[in-house]
Amino acid sequence: MSVLALLLLPLSAALASPPAFPPGSPLKDVKVREVMPRIYHLEFPTRRLLAETFMRFQEHYESAEFHGKVFTKTEFLAAYAKAPHGTKSDYFEWDGFNLPSGAFKRFYAGEFDPLDAHEKDLLALLSGFPGDFYVIATDGGSGTLQHEISHGLYATNRRYRAQARGLLKGADLDQVFAMLKRLGYHRSVWEDEAHAWLGEEPESLKAEGLDPNPYRALRGKLLALYARYKR
């Protein structure tokens, strides 16, 4: 589907304040807000609706197996069911997604047609956002918002990204990278994911088989960095 066709879909006007999906959309109950400059948060009412909407976008961007590829939801779910993904045995258990605006490019170009209603409506809404931006999405009861915003900062703020990389430099991240590989992340996002995961509560790391104790001091520094920029 072309960008023009998406713009002609019956969605709310570009840059409405606040941006919103129309009453007839399957995403009508999703709340949209700009949490920081160029970082947009979409809050979904259910985890399943969240995963159904972002599945192909997210996995095209950062999946170890599907990064940069064109695929159907059926193809992806079949592959996901055969591979280990830590505590998330069901894809619909994932409660947070994040990706840069550039990750939608091939969807706008029509390479993923046919798009389903969720994908069409999301692309139509995002087509009204100016310039480069970052999208984060969570379900209403999720505690991952800080994790997702940290990804947005890493992508949109050069100073934050440089300082985060500086904090990671010299740390032994082999076990963190092993965890990310096991969870199915593409190597290209490991550094970004490491900085976000290490800012998580220790229990989140333990749940994925990673001992948080060696990273206690680093976590404190990453949280302090986040607090300085998230104002």
Side-chain angles (χ1 to χ4, degrees), residues 158-174:
R158 293 180 181 178
R159 293 181 62 187
Y160 176 91
R161 182 169 61 251
Q163 291 176 54
R165 285 175 171 173
L167 293 175
L168 293 178
K169 188 176 182 179
D172 183 358
L173 300 177
D174 287 350

Side-chain angles (χ1 to χ4, degrees), residues 27 46 221:
L27 306 182
T46 68
K221 294 176 182 178

Side-chain angles (χ1 to χ4, degrees), residues 73-149:
K73 287 185 175 182
T74 299
E75 289 170 337
F76 172 71
L77 288 173
Y80 188 92
K82 297 176 182 178
H85 292 279
T87 57
K88 304 294 193 299
S89 58
D90 185 338
Y91 189 80
F92 299 104
E93 294 180 90
W94 287 95
D95 56 358
F97 298 88
N98 64 87
L99 61 168
S101 53
F104 298 98
K105 182 177 180 180
R106 293 177 69 182
F107 291 87
Y108 281 116
E111 295 184 41
F112 280 80
D113 284 354
L115 300 170
D116 67 17
H118 304 77
E119 294 169 331
K120 287 179 182 178
D121 286 6
L122 179 62
L123 289 172
L125 183 80
L126 298 182
S127 69
F129 293 174
D132 294 329
F133 55 88
Y134 205 85
V135 178
I136 60 176
T138 64
D139 75 316
S142 173
T144 68
L145 186 56
Q146 177 179 311
H147 176 114
E148 306 304 342
I149 290 177

